[in-house]
Amino acid sequence: MGRINAGECSYMDVEWYGVDKKGHLAVFCSAGVGNLPEFVCCDIDRADFLVEYFNALEEICESRLYFESTEKAEQVATKFSNKGLYYFDANDGTMYGMETLHKYYTKLSAPCMPLYYGQLPEHIKKMLNTMNIDDFSLVETVSVNHAY
């Protein structure tokens, strides 16, 4: 069980997952700038396992994009949201073709049919953390306290 250290936070694009109070799931991409919560930094092996699990999920729905960007950025966002996840990125998508990075996360896409925490296998549920967010569908940005 390794830890993501402070230096790694400044250059690693960490993909991490959270649950809102309604049981919706979201993926967050840090781009080496976004704050990483303690529950992510404390166990890099768990973080990597969750990445593998969610990347292997099948698409279950259509999604809605909240920004226009490069084709690649749009594909990444829709890939996750088509799996039922809300997609938040430290790049807010405001500058077409350029990165505008922040410590907070901006919702870039949303699923038309969200995947719920209750639908996940027990071993995955145990690895996820509920965040202090009522409903990912109702927020545009998410701020988290940095582990460091």
Side-chain angles (χ1 to χ4, degrees):
M1 177 171 99
R3 181 172 177 83
I4 300 172
N5 68 45
E8 291 170 324
C9 292
S10 66
Y11 66 84
M12 288 176 59
D13 186 8
V14 178
E15 180 182 310
W16 59 276
Y17 300 85
V19 182
D20 69 16
K21 293 178 181 176
K22 291 192 177 265
H24 299 130
L25 300 162
V27 59
F28 298 83
C29 294
S30 73
V33 173
N35 286 348
L36 296 175
E38 177 60 28
F39 69 81
V40 175
C41 289
C42 71
D43 189 347
I44 194 167
D45 297 327
R46 178 180 64 189
D48 288 343
F49 187 88
L50 288 170
V51 167
E52 289 178 29
Y53 174 80
F54 285 106
N55 281 336
L57 287 182
E58 298 292 322
E59 293 185 2
I60 60 169
C61 65
E62 297 294 317
S63 59
R64 176 180 175 208
L65 279 173
Y66 289 95
F67 72 107
E68 286 186 30
S69 187
T70 63
E71 184 178 344
K72 181 178 179 190
E74 290 177 3
Q75 286 175 346
V76 170
T78 45
K79 175 187 85 167
F80 284 109
S81 289
N82 287 353
K83 294 177 181 193
L85 304 169
Y86 289 87
Y87 179 81
F88 290 84
D89 202 305
N91 177 5
D92 68 8
T94 58
M95 300 281 295
Y96 181 82
M98 297 179 64
E99 290 189 339
T100 307
L101 302 173
H102 303 280
K103 299 221 176 273
Y104 61 86
Y105 296 85
T106 302
K107 181 169 55 180
L108 300 183
S109 64
C112 293
M113 187 177 77
L115 179 65
Y116 284 90
Y117 176 81
Q119 295 173 277
L120 300 173
E122 287 302 317
H123 72 286
I124 299 299
K125 289 180 189 177
K126 290 177 184 176
M127 295 181 181
L128 293 168
N129 290 78
T130 300
M131 301 171 66
N132 193 25
I133 304 290
D134 288 328
D135 187 341
F136 290 134
S137 72
L138 301 178
V139 298
E140 293 180 19
T141 60
V142 171
S143 295
V144 296
N145 291 328
H146 205 301
Y148 295 99

